[in-house]
Amino acid sequence: MLAQQRHYQEIRKMRHQRAVWMVVTLTIFAVWVSNCGAFEVWGFTSGTNRAAVESQARLEGDQVKALAGVTAINRFDKGSGTWSVLLLQFCDDRLFKIGKPRNINSPSAADFLNTLYGYIEERGSPTVLVARNPLPNGNSIEEIEYRWGDPPDTTSLIFNTPAHPVENVIPGIREEHRDTTQCAKVPDHLR
């Protein structure tokens, strides 16, 4: 009878240890999953804090300029001998959106179509969104956005142009990646 009691105590002890290990394992997994970014692009992962992003960029030799809510990174491509700009936006000090203007100096229909074709070939048919964003001078910026993916992880290719010609404002193309899990509520000015 004493041996049987010890046996049952051992079984309860093993079940308790197994339950504790299961809770610890699930907790570690949950923390790991919550810290995983929805995107990893151009060397940056969503959810990374701002200080780490800026430090990493400087270590890579990038030029970093921090502004309110946005970090602008100038990156030199030694292969092509050109500079590119990355615009990173943060919410609660975590990276949730990264954008890259494309061909700022000479956006062309051919560049836009080639880029769009590449995305469609890679990711399939996009959702198309159209917007008109008013400017203080009475003009507006018209945008056509081609979006792939579903929240929390979306990728967009956006073509925009002023509705009426404006001095020093040229049409542009930009690529954006968003991870909406990084913000409880994304402020309108950061969308």
Side-chain angles (χ1 to χ4, degrees):
M1 176 119 155
L2 187 61
Q4 194 174 21
Q5 277 183 328
R6 283 187 192 153
H7 178 71
Y8 287 125
Q9 286 176 344
E10 287 294 318
I11 289 175
R12 274 190 293 222
K13 185 177 176 183
M14 287 173 29
R15 285 182 181 163
H16 176 74
Q17 288 175 340
R18 191 177 326 152
V20 168
W21 278 108
M22 189 69 109
V23 168
V24 169
T25 302
L26 289 174
T27 301
I28 290 170
F29 180 73
V31 168
W32 177 74
V33 166
S34 69
N35 286 328
C36 285
F39 66 76
E40 188 170 333
V41 64
W42 303 311
F44 300 102
T45 303
S46 62
T48 307
N49 75 47
R50 186 179 196 147
V53 166
E54 292 174 1
S55 175
Q56 176 188 345
R58 285 186 181 95
L59 285 173
E60 298 284 330
D62 297 334
Q63 297 175 356
V64 178
K65 181 160 186 154
L67 308 166
V70 177
T71 296
I73 295 178
N74 290 317
R75 178 172 284 172
F76 186 71
D77 181 350
K78 294 175 185 165
S80 67
T82 60
W83 288 88
S84 61
V85 177
L86 303 174
L87 301 173
L88 292 76
Q89 290 185 320
F90 298 84
C91 181
D92 298 329
D93 203 40
R94 294 181 303 184
L95 180 61
F96 88 95
K97 182 176 174 183
I98 184 169
K100 181 179 183 180
R102 299 175 59 94
N103 255 354
I104 295 174
N105 297 324
S106 62
S108 68
D111 180 53
F112 178 70
L113 289 174
N114 286 333
T115 304
L116 179 60
Y117 181 83
Y119 271 104
I120 291 171
E121 198 171 51
E122 178 184 328
R123 297 183 172 142
S125 296
T127 299
V128 179
L129 302 124
V130 178
R132 178 173 283 144
N133 303 308
L135 296 173
N137 65 2
N139 201 351
S140 61
I141 298 290
E142 297 175 339
E143 290 188 340
I144 298 175
E145 177 180 356
Y146 298 86
R147 185 181 290 178
W148 292 267
D150 295 310
D153 183 18
T154 60
T155 298
S156 297
L157 183 63
I158 302 161
F159 183 76
N160 59 32
T161 187
H164 308 288
V166 177
E167 187 176 328
N168 296 327
V169 177
I170 59 171
I173 301 169
R174 73 182 184 278
E175 182 179 343
E176 288 184 351
H177 300 270
R178 290 181 205 91
D179 175 2
T180 56
T181 64
Q182 300 306 321
C183 279
K185 179 183 181 305
V186 178
D188 288 338
H189 73 282
L190 294 179
R191 288 188 186 271

